[in-house]
Amino acid sequence: MRNTFKTIALLAVLFTTVMVSAKDLNITADSTEQSLVFEMEAAKQSTTIRIMDSRLQEIYGDVIAAGTPYFKKFDVSNLISGNYTVSIEDSLKRINYSVTIDGDTLEISKPKRTNKPVFRKKGDRIYVNLLNLDLEDIAIAVYDSEGRRLFSETNNADQIVQKAFNFEDAKNDSYTVMVRDASHTYYEEIVVK
């Protein structure tokens, strides 16, 4: 009886988690109408949706303002058979779906989520935070305005990557903090006067 209760409680938690994550964006494929249907409740921050071909050339792009619900139906019947990528991005994450069109068949893969680094400036300091659940190699570097590398580090052992850079005693210049994961590079600049 006790194990049954625990199992039911665990399933309820899992179901609730799925429902919460599904509230962000729901993408469904309608093979009968050859369309992709996007539905999202009002997001807390601006969100970009892009559909790209196999060469990552953008076919369609849209920016959804914060606080705006979104519903759109994309007719993909005129697209040639092949693989496409649907990318949903905000300031904290990028979610990619692979879409395969094969004649009248339309399939969507499970989403692949990539967390983006968060840069926070406070005076002459920059704080970097990144959630690295896949334990990918994360390279962090600092460059001056002439492109000289002043700091470099690679981290793949921590799920939470945190770094703070203090430019209070640095000479007057502009500095770039670079964070690179397996597929993307992010930059933040700070000017010391």
Side-chain angles (χ1 to χ4, degrees):
M1 181 70 175
R2 198 173 206 175
N3 287 336
T4 304
F5 180 73
K6 286 181 184 179
T7 303
I8 291 171
L10 181 60
L11 288 173
V13 169
L14 287 174
F15 181 72
T16 304
T17 303
V18 169
M19 292 302 291
V20 169
S21 65
K23 286 184 179 181
D24 290 338
L25 180 68
N26 186 21
I27 300 176
T28 55
D30 186 349
S31 292
T32 58
E33 293 187 24
Q34 284 297 100
S35 62
L36 293 174
V37 179
F38 292 79
E39 190 173 3
M40 182 172 70
E41 292 182 11
K44 293 180 181 176
Q45 52 190 305
S46 176
T47 304
T48 302
I49 295 178
R50 297 184 317 157
I51 300 175
M52 297 167 287
D53 64 14
S54 60
R55 296 174 305 189
L56 297 181
Q57 299 295 316
E58 187 172 311
I59 297 170
Y60 177 81
D62 201 359
V63 177
I64 306 160
T68 307
Y70 186 76
F71 178 84
K72 194 125 189 169
K73 191 176 205 177
F74 294 95
D75 180 8
V76 296
S77 62
N78 293 327
L79 296 178
I80 61 173
S81 292
N83 296 318
Y84 296 86
T85 301
V86 175
S87 179
I88 295 92
E89 186 171 348
D90 60 27
S91 63
L92 298 175
K93 66 188 172 303
R94 177 183 295 110
I95 301 173
N96 286 341
Y97 294 83
S98 293
V99 177
T100 303
I101 300 174
D102 187 11
D104 291 339
T105 306
L106 186 59
E107 294 180 6
I108 300 176
S109 70
K110 290 185 179 180
K112 180 178 183 333
R113 178 184 171 127
T114 304
N115 294 306
K116 295 167 66 174
V118 176
F119 296 96
R120 187 172 56 91
K121 292 181 185 176
K122 188 173 181 182
D124 287 336
R125 296 175 189 215
I126 291 183
Y127 300 91
V128 179
N129 292 300
L130 175 64
L131 187 59
N132 184 23
L133 296 176
D134 295 333
L135 296 176
E136 294 180 336
D137 285 344
I138 304 296
I140 301 175
V142 177
Y143 298 92
D144 66 10
S145 62
E146 295 180 20
R148 295 180 292 212
R149 185 172 50 205
L150 306 175
F151 172 83
S152 179
E153 175 180 280
T154 301
N155 184 334
N156 67 355
D158 298 324
Q159 286 187 336
I160 299 175
V161 178
Q162 297 177 335
K163 206 72 180 160
F165 298 98
N166 185 348
F167 294 95
E168 289 176 348
D169 296 330
K171 70 176 188 165
N172 294 350
D173 198 356
S174 64
Y175 298 91
T176 303
V177 177
M178 184 265 320
V179 177
R180 182 175 48 238
D181 61 21
S183 55
H184 295 90
T185 305
Y186 308 91
Y187 300 96
E188 185 71 21
E189 187 173 346
I190 186 167
V191 177
V192 177
K193 298 179 182 180

